[in-house]
Amino acid sequence: MSNHAGETLVQLTSEVRSPEGTRYLARACGGPMPDGSWQGWIEFVPIDAGVPVRTPRETTQPNRTDTQYWATGLTPVYLEGALARALKKPSAPAEVASARPSIFPAPGPVTRPTGARESLINPFSVYEHGEAHLRKQLGAFAAWHLVNIARKFELTDLDVVTLDHMPSVELVELIVSAVRNGVESSRASNGG
């Protein structure tokens, strides 16, 4: 029996390009964790030549079915951000043995900044350009960035452990909803 616990859940058909122009095909992969929940990550396989790369864990789900559902909702903008994260710290080379198993048995290591909470954007400022614009911006971030945004701008009372186990899609909804409610409350109290 193989130790390889990861599997390809969804093979995405549109190509994703790196800033240097390298073309990749993405596939959403997942595998069970010791506690029985599942984790999901994205692997990028170069179309022409090169070394496959992977993201750190992108989501934690209660089971395989929910992880596969997460994988079906990945957008081109999300994949562009995921490729940028995967290329930021390339993982060890791997050989592609077949199209079905994932290349890596698990996601890449999570790299979190040390020290103070870091937030890449101010969601209230981005929301001024429209909710769709905010969703697009948030969709390009790793889950841990979304957690930092939610905490820095006090958009939730949930503890960091709970937030860390939420999938990116839920974190985006949490942030957008909190920002929308905050803006509407501010407008109502200002008589506008």
Side-chain angles (χ1 to χ4, degrees):
M1 173 124 181
S2 170
N3 242 0
H4 197 273
E7 66 177 279
T8 299
L9 299 172
V10 175
Q11 177 70 52
L12 300 146
T13 55
S14 57
E15 68 179 49
V16 185
R17 287 184 186 261
S18 71
E20 296 78 32
T22 305
R23 299 178 313 141
Y24 292 88
L25 286 178
R27 53 197 200 179
C29 300
M33 297 185 356
D35 67 358
S37 62
W38 273 60
Q39 59 187 337
W41 65 95
I42 302 170
E43 296 177 351
F44 294 92
V45 180
I47 292 173
D48 301 318
V51 177
V53 293
R54 63 183 166 170
T55 65
R57 179 173 50 203
E58 295 283 322
T59 188
T60 304
Q61 299 290 338
N63 53 49
R64 183 186 186 282
T65 301
D66 290 348
T67 309
Q68 189 163 25
Y69 179 76
W70 161 80
T72 62
L74 298 174
T75 65
V77 170
Y78 187 95
L79 292 174
E80 288 172 13
L83 178 58
R85 292 189 293 280
L87 292 172
K88 194 174 253 182
K89 190 167 190 177
S91 41
E95 289 185 28
V96 179
S98 99
R100 280 314 303 153
S102 63
I103 297 168
F104 300 96
V110 174
T111 53
R112 286 185 180 257
T114 55
R117 289 186 305 223
E118 175 185 320
S119 173
L120 297 177
I121 64 168
N122 178 330
F124 292 95
S125 296
V126 176
Y127 188 83
E128 291 174 10
H129 301 284
E131 185 173 313
H133 185 67
L134 177 59
R135 286 181 184 283
K136 181 177 179 182
Q137 293 288 314
L138 294 173
F141 291 131
W144 68 270
H145 279 298
L146 298 172
V147 170
N148 287 342
I149 291 168
R151 293 187 69 219
K152 179 174 181 175
F153 292 94
E154 299 176 353
L155 301 175
T156 181
D157 292 331
L158 295 173
D159 62 85
V160 72
V161 174
T162 302
L163 291 170
D164 278 343
H165 283 86
M166 290 175 69
S168 297
V169 174
E170 287 182 24
L171 290 166
V172 168
E173 287 305 317
L174 180 145
I175 293 168
V176 170
S177 177
V179 170
R180 182 188 322 112
N181 292 339
V183 169
E184 288 172 1
S185 284
S186 177
R187 285 180 184 155
S189 65
N190 291 331

